[in-house]
Amino acid sequence: AVNSLHLLRANKDQWGGYYIYGISGRSAGGHLAGATAAHYKDLVDFQILLYPVITMEPGKTHNGSLKNFLGSESPSRELIDAWSAEKLVTKDTPRAYVGYSTNDSVVPQEYNGKAMCTALSQAGVEHCAKEYAEGGHSINWPDFPSCLHQWLKTF
């Protein structure tokens, strides 16, 4: 993801002159997008996180993501803190669109999407929080993608 962002920025004049760059991901891809935005704030202008894995806290994350991303279901505190996107939010974190369902049975969104929105709010980062009672671990939301398109028009 980072190499792609560098490549896009380096070739922006030849490839359309874009000046705003975003990163998007769903589920474990949401973790990759959120972690990339957190660690490379200078490369990312916005992030779109859909039913995301955000935290790496055992018992609050998706165990498969924890093991596949950090290499263990019992990683060190240092690794957990370094790769839990909600713990990396600062006032300089790129603005975000975060959508999730409270009935997600795969990724507990209370500790993931909702926790990310709380961290963004506390840091004063502009974001759009879209919480749905239904939809599970998918984009099965009545106003999606029109709500995302509306948010993107605010740039």
Side-chain angles (χ1 to χ4, degrees):
V2 174
N3 289 341
S4 297
L5 289 164
H6 281 295
L7 186 66
L8 286 169
R9 287 184 179 274
N11 293 286
K12 70 180 180 183
D13 292 333
Q14 298 92 332
W15 295 349
Y18 299 103
Y19 60 95
I20 298 175
Y21 299 89
I23 192 163
S24 176
R26 302 184 301 191
S27 191
H31 182 264
L32 176 61
T36 300
H39 286 285
Y40 298 94
K41 294 171 176 67
D42 59 326
L43 295 178
V44 177
D45 298 302
F46 68 92
Q47 53 188 314
I48 300 169
L49 311 173
L50 305 174
Y51 51 93
V53 173
I54 293 295
T55 193
M56 288 289 109
E57 285 288 341
K60 295 182 178 181
T61 192
H62 177 256
N63 283 342
S65 297
L66 179 66
K67 184 175 182 182
N68 291 327
F69 192 74
L70 298 184
S72 168
E73 288 185 13
S74 302
S76 69
R77 172 55 45 197
E78 181 179 49
L79 276 176
I80 292 167
D81 291 346
W83 293 104
S84 292
E86 82 284 6
K87 294 180 181 192
L88 305 172
V89 172
T90 70
K91 65 177 181 55
D92 298 319
T93 296
R95 58 186 158 176
Y97 179 99
V98 184
Y100 60 91
S101 303
T102 57
N103 74 337
D104 187 332
S105 62
V106 178
V107 177
Q109 290 301 325
E110 175 183 354
Y111 306 114
N112 288 274
K114 188 171 191 163
M116 185 63 162
C117 292
T118 299
L120 293 165
S121 291
Q122 290 174 345
V125 175
E126 179 187 333
H127 67 285
C128 178
K130 294 295 285 185
E131 180 180 285
Y132 301 90
E134 300 292 325
H137 193 67
S138 69
I139 305 172
N140 189 20
W141 306 318
D143 62 345
F144 192 86
S146 61
C147 56
L148 174 58
H149 295 160
Q150 287 300 110
W151 181 73
L152 290 169
K153 288 179 184 178
T154 67
F155 291 35

